[in-house]
Amino acid sequence: MKFLSVTLASLGLASAASLASTKKVSYDDWKVYRVNVGSKAAEIETLMSSLKLELWKGKPASSDVVDIMVPPAVIKDFEASTADIQTHIMHENLGLSIADENASFGTYAAGAAPSATWFNSYHTIAEHMQWITDLAAAYPNNAEVVSAGKSVEGRDIKGIHIYGSGGKGSKRGVVWHGTVHAREWITTMVVEYAAFQLLTSTDATTAGFKNTYDFYIFPIVNPDGFAYTQASDRMWRKNRQTTPTATCVGRDINRNWPSHWDQPGGASTSACAEDYKGPSAGDGVETKALKAQLDSIAAGKGVQLYMDIHSYSQLWMYPYGYSCSAVLPNSAKFASLTSGAISAVKAVHGTVFTGGPICNAIYQVSGDSVDYAYEVAKANYSMTVELRDTGNYGFVLPAAQILPSGEEMWAGLRYLLVNM
């Protein structure tokens, strides 16, 4: 999700801190508010700037509602300034919500045959890496562990390649990315659930997908950022790459792809901003690796479908992000597939998604992977989703919602695989 570009260093937030900062960020007594913008966009912008607040969701200038994280020191000022604006509290104490999330962590025995119990809880990054290895090992005739390359800190960008008749690399590729933004933990689990279904389902249609496509599934494409959310700052978003001209750390991997990279309004030029595009197009370490891996699939049998999985807002979107006026040549087909996928999602647990082009459905995004996959890698279909929810829990989604999130998103993905 996108953020207002404000300086956060005065609040001691790790999201605007230098790489040298190692103190774990506490969110004890922080609150998260949902604010109805109405006619108060300018007023909210001014308030956020004066109190140096951080957005979770939306932009005051273009959104009906915005979700704002407020530290304890300025809660009284914030509430006094929004007395005439409709608000409600999403998290009464963000620190307690994070503590509850940590308490729900499961345990995983290395070498165990992966089962559906994995999706009952969140897990450490080490367990995620082991689970991917064990899933591939359990199905040696149809899966292998792959790496898109190394992260800034030397971690593997680890994934699983799933294939069927004809052997590895014999079919057009389907590529799914999760955890681009580090704090979006539910995306990791949902992408893993999709891989699990492809390999374990006894449904004939699902089992047959791997005979139609080669799947390249990467649950955590930002491993350094994800590790940092577990060790230091639960709300960290970007990668962990330094910038030569600033002390602030990180690029937004989804603003750094070399596709319409330098579009005004599509990303921030400030190194301290959550949506910082980076000093140059495609200079992010992870971006380079992911781009090369996607390009290699495109140069082989080609890319049938690219999906970038995010949270939160319950949206199903397609190009373009860089422009709200540009229209896809085959936009009617994209719209039809999106509508069908949304219906399939709703049929599982009643969860309602809305759809449309990225720029129109959420906001302008430049240098994003979805536009790159469609325009440069020539994917037949390129889409992105924002998973649960729409403003109850936001990024700190309870573990009880992992499995239903996976089930409903798999229904949407399955619809695409059948109908695209």
Side-chain angles (χ1 to χ4, degrees):
M1 303 298 297
K2 192 172 179 179
F3 286 79
L4 185 69
S5 301
V6 296
T7 302
L8 305 172
S10 63
L11 293 179
L13 285 176
S15 50
S18 71
L19 188 64
S21 176
T22 56
K23 184 178 179 181
K24 188 164 186 175
V25 176
S26 171
Y27 289 98
D28 290 348
D29 299 317
W30 287 59
K31 295 182 187 292
V32 181
Y33 296 81
R34 167 149 288 193
V35 180
N36 282 20
V37 176
S39 61
K40 304 289 187 177
E43 185 177 327
I44 294 169
E45 291 266 15
T46 300
L47 175 63
M48 293 193 64
S49 179
S50 64
L51 297 182
K52 297 182 172 60
L53 302 179
E54 185 174 352
L55 278 169
W56 269 20
K57 166 184 161 60
K59 297 196 301 183
S62 58
S63 303
D64 294 331
V65 297
V66 291
D67 298 342
I68 303 175
M69 187 167 66
V70 183
V74 297
I75 285 174
K76 287 185 178 179
D77 292 336
F78 176 83
E79 291 183 342
S81 299
T82 56
D84 63 339
I85 301 174
Q86 184 180 356
T87 67
H88 81 259
I89 296 176
M90 293 170 58
H91 291 277
E92 181 70 39
N93 185 332
L94 181 57
L96 287 180
S97 298
I98 293 171
D100 288 344
E101 181 184 57
N102 289 336
S104 73
F105 266 47
T107 57
Y108 180 71
S115 71
T117 59
W118 172 259
F119 303 100
N120 293 336
S121 59
Y122 291 106
H123 301 273
T124 66
I125 186 170
E127 289 180 336
H128 281 291
M129 297 299 102
Q130 185 62 49
W131 186 87
I132 292 170
T133 296
D134 292 342
L135 182 63
Y139 299 91
N141 295 325
N142 296 113
E144 65 176 352
V145 172
V146 292
S147 174
K150 297 287 187 180
S151 68
V152 173
E153 296 175 351
R155 293 181 175 89
D156 273 317
I157 304 173
K158 191 173 184 178
I160 185 168
H161 174 200
I162 297 173
Y163 51 88
S165 61
K168 295 182 284 188
S170 62
K171 308 291 193 301
R172 288 183 65 81
V174 171
V175 183
W176 293 335
H177 286 172
T179 329
V180 174
H181 295 143
R183 62 184 162 207
E184 297 170 10
W185 286 7
I186 187 61
T187 70
T188 316
M189 304 298 300
V190 165
V191 173
E192 289 173 344
Y193 186 85
F196 182 76
Q197 288 301 308
L198 285 170
L199 288 171
T200 65
S201 177
T202 57
D203 169 73
T205 300
T206 299
F209 289 148
K210 57 183 172 287
N211 295 323
T212 306
Y213 302 112
D214 270 65
F215 292 84
Y216 303 86
I217 301 174
F218 293 86
I220 305 174
V221 300
N222 181 6
D224 297 347
F226 184 72
Y228 197 74
T229 64
Q230 296 192 331
S232 299
D233 183 358
R234 177 62 182 86
M235 292 297 109
W236 185 262
R237 169 181 163 104
K238 299 183 284 185
N239 76 351
R240 296 294 299 161
Q241 188 170 350
T242 57
T243 301
T245 58
T247 58
C248 294
V249 176
R251 287 148 181 71
D252 182 341
I253 297 173
N254 202 39
R255 303 296 187 277
N256 188 243
W257 286 71
S259 174
H260 306 283
W261 173 75
D262 197 19
Q263 293 288 124
S268 178
T269 59
S270 169
C272 294
E274 295 286 4
D275 60 341
Y276 177 47
K277 65 182 182 177
S280 60
D283 77 318
V285 171
E286 293 82 5
T287 313
K288 288 179 182 177
L290 296 168
K291 173 186 174 299
Q293 199 262 348
L294 184 63
D295 288 347
S296 71
I297 299 169
K301 296 296 183 178
V303 179
Q304 176 70 8
L305 172 67
Y306 173 78
M307 290 287 300
D308 191 19
I309 312 297
H310 290 266
S311 72
Y312 60 100
S313 284
Q314 293 174 202
L315 299 171
W316 198 296
M317 299 174 288
Y318 49 89
Y320 293 105
Y322 78 91
S323 170
C324 290
S325 58
V327 179
L328 287 171
N330 54 341
S331 60
K333 178 64 173 178
F334 273 79
S336 175
L337 285 172
T338 296
S339 178
I342 287 172
S343 294
V345 168
K346 185 178 180 181
V348 180
H349 295 293
T351 308
V352 177
F353 277 56
T354 55
I358 297 167
C359 189
N360 303 101
I362 190 165
Y363 40 61
Q364 185 184 7
V365 179
S366 58
D368 65 284
S369 62
V370 174
D371 286 354
Y372 180 91
Y374 182 73
E375 289 197 328
V376 183
K378 304 301 181 184
N380 283 359
Y381 299 101
S382 183
M383 296 182 173
T384 183
V385 296
E386 297 279 355
L387 302 175
R388 293 187 183 193
D389 56 11
T390 58
N392 291 320
Y393 299 102
F395 297 121
V396 190
L397 195 69
Q401 295 197 34
I402 294 172
L403 184 58
S405 294
E407 290 169 341
E408 66 196 15
M409 186 48 52
W410 172 246
L413 294 173
R414 188 181 186 279
Y415 178 88
L416 289 187
L417 296 173
V418 170
N419 292 282
M420 61 187 178

